[in-house]
Structures are given as structure tokens and as C-alpha cells.
Amino acid sequence: MSKKSLYSGDWSGIDCTCDILDKRRSIYNYVMLMFDRTNQMFEYSGLPETIPAYMLELYLQINGHVCITKVNGKLYALPGGLGGAPDPYYRPTLYVLANPGLGYSASLKILNHLDPFAKQDTQGECVLLRNDTNIRGLFYLFSRYATELAENDVSIRSAQINSRQQILITASTDRDIASANAYIKGLEDGKIAAVHDDSFLGNGNVKATNVSVQSANAIIQLIELQQYLKASWYNEIGLNANFNMKRESINESEASMNEDGLLPLIDDMLECRKIAVEQINKMFGLNISVELSS
């Protein structure tokens, strides 16, 4: 797609075709679009101008952690690596940074972890902000569901194409194949043609099989799987997306029956943020707060 013509308002010549078979690209786009949705899960107040809330959440959700520290007198949320001698709970005690944009690199002591068994020289201090208790982030979870959805997209595409063929005609000789193709061509052209009944009733070299029912059932099942995967994905991170296998109307209790299972992960993510924010406020004299977004 030409971005220049898209932004200039010239829509002519733009190819909006989506290559469903390009699973790698589909998975990437599924993951990035989900990060767009989850970026607004939490609302911050009191953040300094040097820490945009959307970048803070993006780093947290993709990397699983960031450190909050001062560079040249300004506070930043910087991604890096965990290291250093372990504390009594075997947690890392240093946060290793290398930021070309700031021209800054350091190994900072993590304030909200205990001192290691062996003392080490450090260049400063920082607060470790975790996305979740185990510092996993959301990237693996998103990649898993995105991969399944991309595979299902390919299956749906195949089922759609196969549904165009209402009857599958098979023949064993070139002459019979030519006759069958002529018959199909006549139907496409709107011509009504007669065929020898022995051939198309299974007594000759040409056989016809009705595949429309199988194709329709396959499409319904794949659509249900698509709905199930999306709802499961949303529900795992605490976003309510109802899924019900019933093909008729559902009542209010059925529509809300999954709400009780939505909380654990998003509650854990919120608690990790609140704990770190409390340390940040204490260390840097700020008044930052974080809550779930509506």
C-alpha cells in the first residue's frame, strides 16, 4: 500500500488486498493491534512530561519491565536488562541500561529489591516497575493467540473458496473431463444443458458429489472457533468479550457468566504498578497514581 497516496487523499491505485496466506504478517498485525487496545487499560496521573503514559505501558507490556530513574536531572522510564548478584529471594539487584537517545549507560541498583549477598559498586539507583508478578509481559500470550487466529484465517479462506463449488465433478478420461468442463462452462454462461444420466448418476466415468453441505458446516465451525479464540484472548487479560456456543438468543445471566473469571491477571498487573508507583513517589518526591481505565 502506498502511504503517500493514502495520506494525501488520493485513493486511486491503492491496493488494499490482504494476503491471508502471509501468516507471519497476519500474526504481527494481530499482536500490534492488541497492544493498541491494551495500551489504555490503565490511567496515570502525575507522570512527569518525560514519561509518556503510552510509552510506559508499551514497554511494560512488551518487555515485562522498565526502570524509573533520573538522567541529567529528568525522570525517565527506560527498558533494559536485569542482572547483578541475587538478593535473598534470588531476584536481580541491578538494572543494566544502554540508551543511545540519551547517550546514557549504567548498571543501577534496584531500590525495591533487597541487597545482594555480596556487595557491588553501583552507579546509581532506580525503581523496577514490573508488568506482572513474574515479569513475563504480554508478548507471549498475544503471540500465541495471534498464531491460532492467523491459522484459522487461512482455514476460513479455504472454506470460503471451497463453498463456491456446490458439486464436485470427477472424471476418469480426458473426454469425460472435457464434457464436464463444457457442462460447467454452460452453467456459468447461463445455458441449460442436458447430460447423460448414466454418467452423472455414478454408473459411468463421471461422478458428481454434493459438497455444499460440508462446506457450509465447515464455515460455521471455523467462525465459532474464531469467536472463541478472540473472546478467550480478551478474557485472559481482563477484557470482557462474551462467547456462547448457542446459536439462538441468550439471556442476561448467560451474557455475563464469564465476568467472574476476568480479574486475576489485570488485578495482578494493577497491583504491580501500584507497588512501584509508591516507591517512585517516595524516592523522587512525586505524586503519581495509577488506576484501571473505564
Side-chain angles (χ1 to χ4, degrees):
M1 178 184 293
S2 173
K3 293 184 178 180
K4 181 179 179 181
S5 61
L6 177 62
Y7 293 135
S8 65
D10 180 12
W11 293 83
S12 61
I14 297 178
D15 183 8
C16 293
T17 304
C18 179
D19 185 3
I20 301 297
L21 298 179
D22 188 351
K23 291 187 289 186
R24 186 182 183 90
R25 185 179 182 87
S26 295
I27 292 168
Y28 172 81
N29 286 325
Y30 267 129
V31 170
M32 291 299 105
L33 286 172
M34 182 57 81
F35 276 124
D36 285 342
R37 295 183 178 97
T38 57
N39 193 267
Q40 303 299 318
M41 291 172 67
F42 302 96
E43 289 183 353
Y44 293 86
S45 63
L47 281 175
E49 293 182 357
T50 48
I51 304 181
Y54 79 95
M55 287 304 304
L56 174 60
E57 276 302 311
L58 194 62
Y59 281 145
L60 278 173
Q61 293 178 25
I62 292 179
N63 299 329
H65 54 79
V66 296
C67 87
I68 308 297
T69 190
K70 274 189 176 180
V71 180
N72 299 326
K74 296 181 179 180
L75 208 61
Y76 292 93
L78 303 177
L82 297 166
D87 75 356
Y89 294 101
Y90 297 96
R91 297 176 300 183
T93 55
L94 295 180
Y95 204 89
V96 183
L97 293 173
N99 190 288
L102 294 172
Y104 177 76
S105 61
S107 294
L108 306 177
K109 180 181 177 182
I110 298 175
L111 181 69
N112 46 337
H113 282 186
L114 300 175
D115 290 331
F117 292 112
K119 293 183 179 180
Q120 297 185 15
D121 294 331
T122 58
Q123 300 178 22
E125 291 184 325
C126 68
V127 174
L128 176 65
L129 180 49
R130 300 171 297 163
N131 177 74
D132 50 275
T133 297
N134 289 315
I135 321 181
R136 307 308 303 172
L138 299 175
F139 192 82
Y140 170 77
L141 178 67
F142 287 7
S143 298
R144 171 173 163 251
Y145 278 105
T147 300
E148 292 186 272
L149 284 169
E151 292 289 351
N152 199 56
D153 285 339
V154 175
S155 299
I156 291 176
R157 176 184 178 275
S158 297
Q160 286 177 317
I161 294 173
N162 290 334
S163 68
R164 300 172 186 169
Q165 181 73 14
Q166 300 297 311
I167 296 177
L168 179 64
I169 301 176
T170 59
S172 57
T173 67
D174 292 341
R175 178 180 178 181
D176 292 329
I177 291 174
S179 299
N181 288 334
Y183 170 72
I184 294 173
K185 182 64 169 58
L187 292 178
E188 289 178 349
D189 295 338
K191 299 176 182 178
I192 304 300
V195 297
H196 195 283
D197 60 354
D198 283 343
S199 295
F200 282 86
L201 289 177
N203 299 321
N205 295 324
V206 180
K207 300 183 184 298
T209 304
N210 188 350
V211 295
S212 59
V213 176
Q214 295 93 316
S215 297
N217 290 338
I219 291 175
I220 292 173
Q221 292 169 358
L222 290 170
I223 290 174
E224 289 176 345
L225 176 58
Q226 190 86 345
Q227 182 186 0
Y228 170 77
L229 290 173
K230 286 184 176 180
S232 298
W233 190 354
Y234 294 153
N235 292 343
E236 282 221 45
I237 57 177
L239 300 179
N240 191 6
N242 183 66
F243 171 72
N244 195 294
M245 293 294 290
K246 293 172 63 177
R247 293 175 187 170
E248 59 269 9
S249 61
I250 60 176
N251 56 42
E252 183 178 353
S253 62
E254 291 173 323
S256 60
M257 65 183 179
N258 64 324
E259 290 183 357
D260 292 339
L262 296 179
L263 300 178
L265 179 56
I266 196 172
D267 279 353
D268 180 66
M269 292 168 63
L270 177 62
E271 184 65 17
C272 288
R273 284 158 174 76
K274 284 188 171 183
I275 292 173
V277 162
E278 183 179 349
Q279 290 284 343
I280 294 167
N281 291 338
K282 183 179 179 180
M283 181 176 180
F284 299 106
L286 300 175
N287 189 27
I288 303 172
S289 63
V290 58
E291 298 292 341
L292 283 178
S293 173
S294 59

Coordinates of all heavy atoms in Angstrom, one line a residue, residues 167 169 177-189 191-195 200:
I167 N -21.0 -28.6 -6.4 CA -20.9 -30.0 -6.8 C -19.5 -30.3 -7.3 O -19.0 -29.6 -8.1 CB -21.9 -30.4 -7.9 CG1 -23.4 -30.2 -7.3 CG2 -21.7 -31.8 -8.4 CD1 -24.4 -30.4 -8.4
I169 N -17.2 -32.5 -9.5 CA -17.4 -33.5 -10.6 C -16.0 -34.1 -10.9 O -15.0 -33.4 -11.0 CB -17.9 -32.8 -11.9 CG1 -19.3 -32.1 -11.6 CG2 -18.0 -33.7 -13.0 CD1 -19.8 -31.3 -12.8
I177 N -13.7 -35.5 -18.9 CA -13.3 -34.3 -18.2 C -13.7 -33.1 -19.1 O -14.2 -32.1 -18.6 CB -11.8 -34.2 -18.0 CG1 -11.4 -35.3 -16.9 CG2 -11.3 -32.9 -17.5 CD1 -10.0 -35.4 -16.6
A178 N -13.5 -33.2 -20.4 CA -13.8 -32.1 -21.3 C -15.3 -31.9 -21.3 O -15.8 -30.8 -21.4 CB -13.3 -32.4 -22.7
S179 N -16.1 -33.0 -21.3 CA -17.6 -32.9 -21.3 C -18.0 -32.2 -20.0 O -18.9 -31.4 -20.0 CB -18.2 -34.3 -21.4 OG -17.8 -34.9 -22.6
A180 N -17.4 -32.6 -18.8 CA -17.8 -32.0 -17.6 C -17.5 -30.5 -17.5 O -18.3 -29.7 -17.1 CB -17.1 -32.7 -16.4
N181 N -16.3 -30.1 -18.1 CA -15.9 -28.7 -18.1 C -16.9 -27.9 -19.0 O -17.2 -26.8 -18.7 CB -14.5 -28.6 -18.6 CG -13.5 -29.0 -17.5 OD1 -13.7 -28.9 -16.4 ND2 -12.3 -29.4 -18.0
A182 N -17.3 -28.5 -20.1 CA -18.2 -27.9 -21.0 C -19.6 -27.7 -20.3 O -20.2 -26.6 -20.5 CB -18.4 -28.7 -22.3
Y183 N -20.0 -28.6 -19.5 CA -21.2 -28.5 -18.8 C -21.1 -27.4 -17.8 O -22.0 -26.5 -17.7 CB -21.5 -29.8 -18.1 CG -22.6 -29.8 -17.1 CD1 -24.0 -29.7 -17.5 CD2 -22.4 -29.8 -15.7 CE1 -25.0 -29.6 -16.6 CE2 -23.4 -29.8 -14.8 CZ -24.7 -29.7 -15.3 OH -25.8 -29.6 -14.4
I184 N -20.0 -27.3 -17.0 CA -19.8 -26.2 -16.0 C -19.8 -24.9 -16.7 O -20.3 -23.9 -16.3 CB -18.5 -26.5 -15.2 CG1 -18.7 -27.7 -14.4 CG2 -18.2 -25.3 -14.3 CD1 -17.4 -28.2 -13.7
K185 N -19.1 -24.8 -17.9 CA -19.0 -23.5 -18.6 C -20.3 -23.1 -19.1 O -20.7 -21.9 -19.1 CB -18.0 -23.7 -19.8 CG -17.8 -22.5 -20.7 CD -17.1 -21.4 -19.9 CE -16.7 -20.3 -20.8 NZ -17.7 -19.6 -21.5
G186 N -21.2 -24.1 -19.5 CA -22.5 -23.7 -20.0 C -23.3 -23.1 -18.8 O -24.1 -22.2 -19.0
L187 N -23.2 -23.7 -17.6 CA -23.9 -23.1 -16.5 C -23.4 -21.7 -16.1 O -24.2 -20.8 -15.8 CB -23.7 -24.0 -15.2 CG -24.3 -25.4 -15.3 CD1 -24.0 -26.2 -14.1 CD2 -25.9 -25.3 -15.5
E188 N -22.1 -21.5 -16.2 CA -21.6 -20.2 -16.0 C -22.1 -19.1 -17.0 O -22.4 -18.0 -16.6 CB -20.0 -20.2 -16.0 CG -19.4 -20.9 -14.9 CD -17.9 -20.9 -15.0 OE1 -17.4 -20.6 -16.1 OE2 -17.2 -21.3 -14.0
D189 N -22.3 -19.6 -18.2 CA -22.8 -18.7 -19.3 C -24.4 -18.6 -19.2 O -24.9 -17.9 -20.0 CB -22.4 -19.2 -20.6 CG -20.9 -19.2 -20.8 OD1 -20.3 -18.4 -20.1 OD2 -20.4 -19.9 -21.7
K191 N -26.5 -21.2 -19.7 CA -27.1 -22.1 -20.6 C -27.6 -23.3 -19.9 O -26.9 -23.9 -19.0 CB -26.1 -22.5 -21.7 CG -25.7 -21.3 -22.6 CD -24.6 -21.7 -23.6 CE -24.1 -20.6 -24.4 NZ -23.1 -21.0 -25.4
I192 N -28.7 -23.8 -20.2 CA -29.2 -25.0 -19.6 C -28.8 -26.2 -20.5 O -29.1 -26.1 -21.8 CB -30.8 -25.0 -19.5 CG1 -31.2 -23.8 -18.7 CG2 -31.3 -26.3 -18.8 CD1 -30.6 -23.8 -17.3
A193 N -28.2 -27.2 -20.0 CA -27.7 -28.3 -20.8 C -28.2 -29.6 -20.2 O -28.5 -29.7 -19.0 CB -26.2 -28.3 -20.8
A194 N -28.3 -30.6 -21.1 CA -28.7 -31.9 -20.6 C -27.5 -32.8 -20.6 O -26.6 -32.7 -21.4 CB -29.8 -32.5 -21.6
V195 N -27.5 -33.8 -19.7 CA -26.3 -34.7 -19.6 C -26.9 -36.1 -19.6 O -28.1 -36.4 -19.3 CB -25.5 -34.5 -18.4 CG1 -24.9 -33.1 -18.4 CG2 -26.3 -34.7 -17.1
F200 N -23.7 -39.0 -14.8 CA -23.8 -38.2 -13.6 C -24.5 -38.9 -12.4 O -24.7 -38.3 -11.4 CB -24.4 -36.8 -13.9 CG -23.5 -35.9 -14.6 CD1 -23.3 -35.9 -15.9 CD2 -22.7 -35.0 -13.8 CE1 -22.4 -35.0 -16.6 CE2 -21.8 -34.1 -14.4 CZ -21.7 -34.2 -15.8

